[in-house]
Amino acid sequence: MWIPTEHEKYGVVIASFRGTVPYGLSLEIGDTVQILEKCDGWYRGFALKNPNIKGIFPSSYVHLKNACVKNKGQFEMVIPTEDSVITEMTSTLRDWGTMWKQLYVRNEGDLFHRLWHIMNEILDLRRQVLVGHLTHDRMKDVKRHITARLDWGNEQLGLDLVPRKEYAMVDPEDISITELYRLMEHRHRKKDTPMQASSHHLFVQMKSLMCSNLGEELEVIFSLFDSKENRPISERFFLRLNRNGLPKAPDKPERHCSLFVDLGSSDLRKDIYITVHIIRIGRMGAGEKKNACSVQYRRPFGCAVLSIADLLTGETKDDLVLKVYMCNTESEWYQIHENIIKKLNARYNLTGSNAGLAVSLQLLHGDIEQIRREYSSVFSHGVSITRKLGFSNIIMPGEMRNDLYITVERGEFEKGGKSVARNVEVTMFIVDSNGLPLKDFISFGSGEPPASEYHSFVLYHNNSPRWSELLKLPIPVDKFRGSHIRFEFRHCSTKEKGEKKLFGFSFVPLMQEDGRTLPDGTHELIVHKCEENTNLQDTTRYLKLPFSKVIFLGNNNQTMKATKESFWITSFLCSTKLTQNGDMLDLLKWRTHPDKITGCLSKLKEIDGSEIVKFLQDTLDTLFGILDENSQKYGSKVFDSLVHIINLLQDSKFHHFKPVMDTYIESHFAGALAYRDLIKVLKWYVDRITEAERQEHIQEVLKAQEYIFKYIVQSRRLFSLATGGQNEEEFRCCIQELLMSVRFFLSQESKGAGALSQSQAVFLSSFPAVYSELLKLFDVREVANLVQDTLGSLPTIVHVDDSLQAIKLQCIGKTVESQLYTNPDSRYILLPVVLHHLHIHLQEQKDLIMCARILSNVFCLIKKNSSEKSVLEEIDVIVASLLDILLRTILEITSRPQATSSAMRLQFQDVTGEFVACLLSLLRQMTDRHYQQLLNSFNTKEELRDFLLQIFTVFRILIRPEMFPKDWTVMRLVANNVIITTVLYLSDALRKNFLNENFDYKIWDSYFYLAVIFINQLCLQLEMFTPSKKKKVLEKYGDMRVTMGCEIFSMWQNLGEHKLHFIPALIGPFLEVTLIPQPDLRNVMIPIFHDMMDWEQRRSGNFKQVEAKLIDKLDSLMSEGKGDETYRELFNSILLKKIERETWRESGVSLIATVTRLMERLLDYRDCMKMGEVDGKKIGCTVSLLNFYKTELNKEEMYIRYIHKLYDLHLKAQNFTEAAYTLLLYDELLEWSDRPLREFLTYPMQTEWQRKEHLHLTIIQNFDRGKCWENGIILCRKIAEQYESYYDYRNLSKMRMMEASLYDKIMDQQRLEPEFFRVGFYGKKFPFFLRNKEFVCRGHDYERLEAFQQRMLNEFPHAIAMQHANQPDETIFQAEAQYLQIYAVTPIPESQEVLQREGVPDNIKSFYKVNHIWKFRYDRPFHKGTKDKENEFKSLWVERTSLYLVQSLPGISRWFEVEKREVVEMSPLENAIEVLENKNQQLKALISQCQTRQMQNINPLTMCLNGVIDAAVNGGVSRYQEAFFVKDYILSHPEDGEKIARLRELMLEQAQILEFGLAVHEKFVPQDMRPLHKKLVDQFFVMKSSFGIQEFPACIQASPVHFPNGSPRVCRNSAPASMSPDGTRVIPRRSPLSYPAVNRYSSSSLSSQASAEVSNITGQSESSDEVFNMQPSPSTSSLSSTHSASPNVTSSAPSSARASPLLSDKHKHSRENSCLSPRDRPCSAIYPTPVEPSQRTLFNHIGDGALPRSDPNLSAPEKAVNPTPSSWSLDSGKEAKNMSDGGKLISPPVPPRPTQTGGYLKHLNNHFHKISILSISTCPEFLRESFTSKTHNTSIPVTCWTVSIEGLSTVLYPISSGVQLPRTEFKLPGLVGQLQQWDLIA
């Protein structure tokens, strides 16, 4: 039985569960689950990621966690009771996990890896927290690390900033908004500006000295040196190196590692240097013999220097090698480091051994404790600490130091009777009062332990040696008195014994008799001479002697011999216990000299502060002792001294001694009566303030008032304790009187910045510190009243000194921050004063930063949900006093221009943010009662109106994106929640006060505008959030957009007839709201449009305004990415439903339909524009939208905008012709007028004429680039006319030159004729502008069908290619898919005039063939009736489909929609006529070219003649004779009489043309081709006889025929004219049904397939150039054509081939089949339905005279079948097989291509299938031998080959004159290139 769980409420899934049991819940490892019920080892519940799905799962799969339950029962909420940091980590890592994977997908490898490391670190830290074994400090540390990493990751991933308090996430509902703002600000600042460390430390590690000839031990001394002040600033780090230059004690890191601590920021500058001095221990001279002397001396070796600035980059200088220098003269040693720094090269050079010092240096930042934590390994291994010289910048109480620094400076010695100077060594000892040396108190530096004596280094032969060696003597305080330092001087001999001879000594006592220590500074000591063996152990013998020259000269009554010799030292004491100051000692010993008290107190001010703080407690005891002794006499003096000491502690250097004084007051102070004197003196000073001339001393007193009050209060408490509270009333009166004096002094006004106002300022600065002291003795209300009265006495006039105003405000600020203000009772008393002063400052807009801080603090104390009476009353006071001024302030500061400097901008941002947080806090605290009171407080409607306008404006400002940083979503949501709550309250006031007769447009408009931008905020678009974030927001605030949407709707409904004021202004904003993808919001808001239509209809009888505004806004909003398909459907359905019963329903439906259609197009446009590169889809979509704006909406500006968008797309795609046509649309809208035009898009302000001129020139440039020169010429003429009319001959000249250049380009440059393709887009998945429509597309240069098909499939990757050309049925139209149907079509030029005119060059004609084309066609052959197996041409019909476009091509797009299609059927006879006409025209053209010597090579004519004659002889046209000239056909088709006659005429005409052609051929044929010519002549006679012609009729005799004008300009589209010998043209008859064959691509003819292949090489190019160059035109009807064939069917004569390969049965839609490429089309060129197998056999019997029709539908394997060779082909075995295809013999015509070297074969090579090229004239040398006939054993001259490219090998079929040779195969991939070389192939 299932029972509800009590404690098992929350768990984590530890193993995935598939949920395969009934009611099972599928769970993944790591999911969190909430458990509702349990039963026998099973739980029922849900996963928190999807709470709607509930189910059961095994209890063993879940690890339970502690959780607390809120709202027990049906809607219970479970909150885990784990550490909030753990909860945050878990949810954050879950969110990161998803985003992390996305980083990988987006290829952001760097961030991906960094985030991975951070996530692992967080998981590791999480483990440590969960285990729970951490100490409190360590736990804090771990949490700090976790939050830092979480913040870093969130920032990198663009997630929100998390407000935290002590590492835990803060719920914004639990704290005031001002506090939330501060937390956010703090975290934001922390993120932006890393804290600058004030303390720095230098880590030094000595590695080795690299030197070629060491052999002696060394001492290395590091120190820091200030080159600016020429003094060392640190102690020394001293270490010893062995003979190899390595540290002597490598196992003790503290001996070779040191940390120079406590460097201030001022010490990190480039004139601070690390200096290294190296001393060697050994012989006097470095080069002396080893056994010369056994005594060791310290001798200079070298010095190295490095600026600390080199370390500021922050990198560790691990292996730094410093160069070691030596001075040129030893006497300079003391300043060698300075010389190196100053680069005085003459004084030093590199050491002879070229030594280098290897060190490791690193600069560390932060206080020493932080460094210990972060670099624990350094400290754990051991490191010596090297301090700064003297005290650090801040002296800490409790710091115990007693260090005496002695610098052994220099000496002046006599020669001592020697001829050379001495080698002097100084030895130093410390001797105590008993005459015994003190052991181990001389420190050479931090690396070595202290020693008992010191030996200086020795300078060779120098009587004035300078050492400058610094030593530290850490002598204990108790040893100081009576001790002295003795210096002994010895001469070091360099002789063999190497003895050191004593010749003098000096000494100096450490303490004087009066207890003062040796003063700091340089001391010149007397050198007392002595004998070598003098015993100095008995100190009494010399201590009575003078030690210093100063003292000696002062007492010069004694005379001594040794005055010439001197020794200098510098001493410096750093002690917290000893003093060098006599006045200090006198004061502390005041009881011994009572007469000196006054003098001592006076001198106290002159004593150095560090001396006073060292003896702080003793000094204070002294002062209060004197006061007790005689308060009358010394009261004032003691008070002044106390003030001096208190103010001394304000100094930052001694700031840390304040706690010492606090401790003294609490624990050691004993002056129970002192309070009376202190109050008395203080009051005396306050009373004198207003009269005193000089206020400096009084100000000092006021500055110290905090501690004076501390002493007063403590003294009174001690008195009360001692007397049981006597004189309480008297004490209160004293205090009251004192404060009355203060109030009087504060209330005085001083003009300008007088001394009085300065004193007032000083008092106010320190007054708030007194509150806490008064609270110790008085009740909180009493203190509050005292403070209120005091602050209330301040003068409030505005012209007072500004600085005083600021201080006043600071005092208020400190009051609010004080302990006094936190108590609700006192707060209520103080609040009015605080608000009063704030109000004044805010009104003046002064000290805004301070005001903001005070206000923030005020609100921080008012907890959010406090409903206590006191809080409500406080809110009342604040609302009444500050709400209005707060709104004005925010408006003022946000409307100011932004500051330029970043610091100012930051400050400005801060203050704005703080005021906003204060306003939000106040509004959040306000209840119904507060709002009612506020609204009732306005006396007039005007006031209320102004207030509402103001608050709405402020809310609009708060909603601005720049109000808060972009990752402050938490803050934004809180702000929005407050705004919506307030708006709900205020909308009621709007309804009550500003409707009907009181209607106010401005305030309602402001309201709606606010509501709209509120809903549109980015931070409320929950759809963009992660699921977890969305869930949190919805749980806490719900969807605020819907709430506001409902409020808009409700307010709109209340407007009544006033709605008309907002139509059409609000249409755009409301439309923007409805575009938000929130279904509830849309359902609420869309009906408002119906309402608007209704009211507009009532007003003006239509809703044109509504329509216009809707359309305008839709475009801009949807292009921004708003709206979707669902919205379109919803808009349509909701509004259609709403208007069902309206009288204006029809016009309403029309508007909705228009808007819906526009949405469809805009959505398509937006989707297309998301694609990367420009494609047809983008262009088509833009064209569709542009036309919609023009034709349906008549929106000129939008139309022009889209013209330019389309223009940019064309330019990007390099469609220059289309770009020109597009810009022409805008050009057509302009006139040649001087009307001024505004600035628009990229156009400047200019006249209409100027803009039109600019457009013309741009268009001409694009037509030029698109090689559409004819169009450019027209525009050149137009603009030239304008220039001429303005007499602008300069530009006219340029324009005429440009026009001329275009004419040149037409004649000189080559143009490619593009192919055209018909594309059908079927299925519902296509964009609206393409769906179920057919288009004709202009292909790119060199683009064939396969390439075009592939391009279309790439543009529509989900489309399925249809493999037939039949019109699709309804199921395809309605399918939820995309179907593409593509095939090539032939352009039909509109005007035939140019094309038919003779003498027009082909360069010109080629333009008219493919430009301005409206009509296209394609043919589909089919059989009608019974098919004759013997001659299938009897029943072969052609279905001709003509397509008419909406616009001609080329135009503004590369494709246009088909507007109309017409289908006609051509009978077999009409087809035969068309075929013959085309072939006759081709023959005429070739003969003409040959005749006029336009051909350099006769081959094309040879092949054409060969193809026609050979095919005819072997049965070509005889098939037509058999089919149409027989009696049966003539009787059964009496209506075809004329056509039969026409066919007969054409056959005779062809015979005549052939005869004339042979005559021309004979004239030009080269010698080696003569046999072929002879064969052709023989065959021609056979052909004539088959026609039954013996001689031609008189009118067409075979006499030398000449063509008019010297060349036969035959237009393909004209009916072929018969030719008479005299050149006259015989116009043949034409049946009404026969349409002129416009077949510029067809190369089918009466010839056999061979002739078709001849045309492969010759093409039917009209251009003589093409023939000269033997350019292989792609126009071919052969089956082997690889390019897209136009499906123009010009059926051929029957073939005699008997065999035909069968078609494949499998033809289905597939992408693999690609679209219908000519070589693997399943059916005929136009893809008719495959014929039945039964029909196929009919096609196998093809007569001998067949006109071969290539069928591009055969696949390569089918083509490979070798049928029976026929006799009419040059390579009949191979060619016959290409003729038939399931009975449909067709020849897809292909456009001729311009000359391009090797282009055709290259094209063939690209498609590896068999291709044939016939009749290459003479055999090149490299092939001739290979073609020797193996059968005839003789070499036969080879005249033709079939070249087949199969795969990558090249195969040649040699054909000799009349002899078929066996196939010879060469694997010669390079053959084509070699044939080209021999000019055999172009």
Side-chain angles (χ1 to χ4, degrees), residues 679-860:
I679 291 175
K680 192 169 88 180
V681 179
L682 181 57
K683 186 175 184 304
W684 181 77
Y685 272 121
V686 172
D687 288 341
R688 282 185 64 246
I689 291 176
T690 48
E691 301 140 26
E693 283 294 316
R694 295 179 65 78
Q695 304 254 327
E696 288 83 358
H697 184 60
I698 294 172
Q699 287 169 13
E700 290 290 311
V701 172
L702 294 176
K703 232 187 260 181
Q705 65 175 316
E706 176 191 354
Y707 275 94
I708 294 172
F709 268 98
K710 281 189 174 182
Y711 282 112
I712 291 171
V713 169
Q714 183 64 14
S715 173
R716 174 64 205 173
R717 281 166 78 187
L718 292 172
F719 183 82
S720 293
L721 282 171
T723 62
Q726 282 181 14
N727 307 343
E728 183 68 30
E729 200 51 47
E730 181 200 333
F731 173 70
R732 283 174 184 272
C733 286
C734 288
I735 293 288
Q736 291 281 10
E737 283 172 16
L738 174 62
L739 289 174
M740 275 179 73
S741 296
V742 167
R743 284 203 286 279
F744 174 73
F745 131 70
L746 285 179
S747 64
Q748 298 304 303
E749 293 173 19
S750 79
K751 303 284 178 269
L756 177 65
S757 66
Q758 285 178 11
S759 299
Q760 288 173 334
V762 170
F763 173 83
L764 290 173
S765 297
S766 50
F767 180 54
V770 173
Y771 307 160
S772 56
E773 299 310 313
L774 294 175
L775 282 172
K776 291 175 183 173
L777 296 175
F778 300 113
D779 170 48
V780 76
R781 285 172 177 276
E782 279 183 274
V783 178
N785 283 317
L786 285 171
V787 172
Q788 185 200 24
D789 293 343
T790 307
L791 295 178
S793 65
L794 290 166
T796 54
I797 50 165
V798 179
H799 63 256
V800 233
D801 178 24
D802 277 357
S803 60
L804 179 60
Q805 291 280 36
I807 300 288
K808 224 163 60 175
L809 204 56
Q810 284 172 16
C811 178
I812 298 285
K814 288 175 185 169
T815 304
V816 170
E817 288 166 20
S818 69
Q819 181 192 347
L820 177 66
Y821 192 82
T822 51
N823 187 301
D825 294 338
S826 58
R827 185 161 68 236
Y828 192 65
I829 295 166
L830 292 171
L831 193 58
V833 184
V834 171
L835 295 178
H836 169 69
H837 284 288
L838 277 175
H839 195 279
I840 292 168
H841 280 262
L842 289 174
Q843 213 155 16
E844 288 297 308
Q845 294 287 304
K846 287 181 179 172
D847 304 304
L848 291 179
I849 294 172
M850 194 65 212
C851 291
R853 203 177 90 197
I854 295 168
L855 265 178
S856 292
N857 289 329
V858 167
F859 286 110
C860 279

Side-chain angles (χ1 to χ4, degrees), residues 959 961 972 1013-1022 1024-1025:
I959 288 168
R972 288 177 201 278
I1013 61 171
F1014 178 89
I1015 292 173
N1016 281 315
Q1017 285 176 92
L1018 209 59
C1019 66
L1020 293 184
Q1021 309 315 316
L1022 305 182
M1024 295 156 65
F1025 293 0

Side-chain angles (χ1 to χ4, degrees), residues 950-989:
Q950 205 174 43
I951 198 164
F952 290 159
T953 311
V954 168
F955 282 167
R956 287 208 299 275
I957 290 166
L958 302 198
I959 288 168
R960 284 181 192 165
E962 66 272 16
M963 190 67 241
F964 301 112
K966 73 171 191 297
D967 54 356
W968 285 29
T969 307
V970 175
M971 190 73 193
R972 288 177 201 278
L973 289 170
V974 169
N976 283 322
N977 193 33
V978 171
I979 289 170
I980 196 166
T981 312
T982 309
V983 166
L984 292 176
Y985 279 119
L986 297 179
S987 54
D988 206 33

Side-chain angles (χ1 to χ4, degrees), residues 1871-1882:
L1871 175 66
V1872 172
Q1874 294 192 55
L1875 291 176
Q1876 279 174 332
Q1877 248 181 331
W1878 279 70
D1879 287 325
L1880 301 175
I1881 306 177

Side-chain angles (χ1 to χ4, degrees), residues 1661-1725:
S1661 173
E1662 256 83 288
S1663 159
S1664 52
D1665 296 356
E1666 288 182 14
V1667 182
F1668 296 159
N1669 296 331
M1670 292 196 63
Q1671 168 62 31
S1673 163
S1675 315
T1676 174
S1677 61
S1678 94
L1679 188 99
S1680 47
S1681 163
T1682 60
H1683 50 71
S1684 53
S1686 162
N1688 244 359
V1689 175
T1690 49
S1691 187
S1692 57
S1695 160
S1696 58
R1698 290 284 177 266
S1700 170
L1702 293 179
L1703 280 171
S1704 161
D1705 291 321
K1706 295 176 183 174
H1707 301 300
K1708 55 178 182 282
H1709 297 316
S1710 75
R1711 293 291 302 275
E1712 285 77 309
N1713 255 344
S1714 187
C1715 291
L1716 311 147
S1717 72
R1719 63 175 180 276
D1720 42 16
R1721 260 179 220 137
C1723 304
S1724 69

